[in-house]
Amino acid sequence: MVIDFLNSNRDTPPQSLAKLFLNDFAFLYPNPEKIDKAETFRSAFVQELLATAHLAQIIGHTNVPALDTDTLVESGITGALGLCAVSLEHAFSLVAEDTITINNPEAPTAGQRVHLRTPKSLNKITGKETGTEHTFSFAKWGPKTALFIQGANKKGAASIQLTMSMASKYLKKPGFDNHNSTDSADEVDGCATSGIESPSVLESL
């Protein structure tokens, strides 16, 4: 999603555009040029990722009272938002730091081919080259994920419910018909409730 977006923009080089979206966590907002903290987690990036990676999996879930599955579904939304946010930051960072390069950015979009190359580094212990340095690992991204989740929890149930309702609309668009549930995306509209202190993240959300 991120690579396609950066690659399709004809006005700004992918690396420069990625840096712009990372500034003040602009990728979290519907209007990255005018940050409105009341709209955190409502960018098209977050909404589409939340819909496809989370909402499509929980719509029509089986209710198991013994496991309190309804509560699990509702309370898990802030965790899902945190994962969406940190995944997007990771993706933008890979391009911004030139870890992943997009070849032929000046080519016409229709005939453009994107080649993603993640550089390898030498593992001093094994003596072998590995690409794990840039992987999406808990050790590197776990603390940041916790911060995004904390930021989502600060929004409150009403705000999160609206965010879920907005994201559910993506499930009704063409191309999203093959999600795992056989039930209606409207079920999501009523499902929402509800670390580590870091002003650079939490104060920006």
Side-chain angles (χ1 to χ4, degrees), residues 12 17 25 92-93 95 119 129 152 158 160 170 177 200:
T12 309
L17 188 58
F25 303 99
F92 278 109
S93 296
V95 178
E129 287 190 333
I160 295 300
Y170 278 85
D177 296 334
S200 62

Side-chain angles (χ1 to χ4, degrees), residues 28-199:
L28 295 177
Y29 302 92
N31 184 352
E33 296 181 352
K34 186 178 181 181
I35 302 300
D36 181 357
K37 294 185 179 181
E39 297 293 311
T40 312
F41 303 115
R42 293 177 184 169
S43 70
F45 301 116
V46 176
Q47 297 281 290
E48 183 173 339
L49 190 55
L50 179 66
T52 55
H54 181 66
L55 300 185
Q57 313 305 318
I58 66 171
I59 297 173
H61 71 280
T62 301
N63 181 23
V64 182
L67 298 178
D68 199 11
T69 51
D70 284 341
T71 299
L72 289 174
V73 167
E74 293 175 358
S75 61
I77 184 61
T78 53
L81 282 170
L83 285 170
C84 288
V86 78
S87 298
L88 290 167
E89 182 178 0
H90 181 240
F92 278 109
S93 296
L94 287 174
V95 178
E97 296 167 3
D98 206 26
T99 301
I100 283 180
T101 57
I102 301 177
N103 292 342
N104 303 322
E106 302 301 326
T109 303
Q112 199 171 69
R113 297 185 63 185
V114 181
H115 300 280
L116 307 181
R117 298 195 302 270
T118 302
K120 294 182 178 181
S121 57
L122 181 66
N123 186 313
K124 296 180 180 180
I125 298 178
T126 63
K128 297 180 179 180
E129 287 190 333
T130 175
T132 57
E133 179 182 351
H134 304 288
T135 57
F136 186 69
S137 65
F138 177 80
K140 291 186 177 181
W141 292 94
K144 179 62 73 69
T145 303
L147 290 170
F148 280 123
I149 294 173
Q150 189 173 345
N153 279 318
K154 288 171 58 179
K155 294 300 177 183
S159 177
I160 295 300
Q161 182 173 353
L162 178 58
T163 299
M164 283 186 68
S165 180
M166 293 168 63
S168 71
K169 303 301 187 293
Y170 278 85
L171 297 176
K172 303 174 184 178
K173 291 185 177 182
F176 288 86
D177 296 334
N178 294 324
H179 56 80
N180 291 349
S181 172
T182 57
D183 293 327
S184 170
D186 291 330
E187 290 185 23
V188 178
D189 291 350
C191 298
T193 63
S194 131
I196 303 172
E197 290 295 334
S198 172

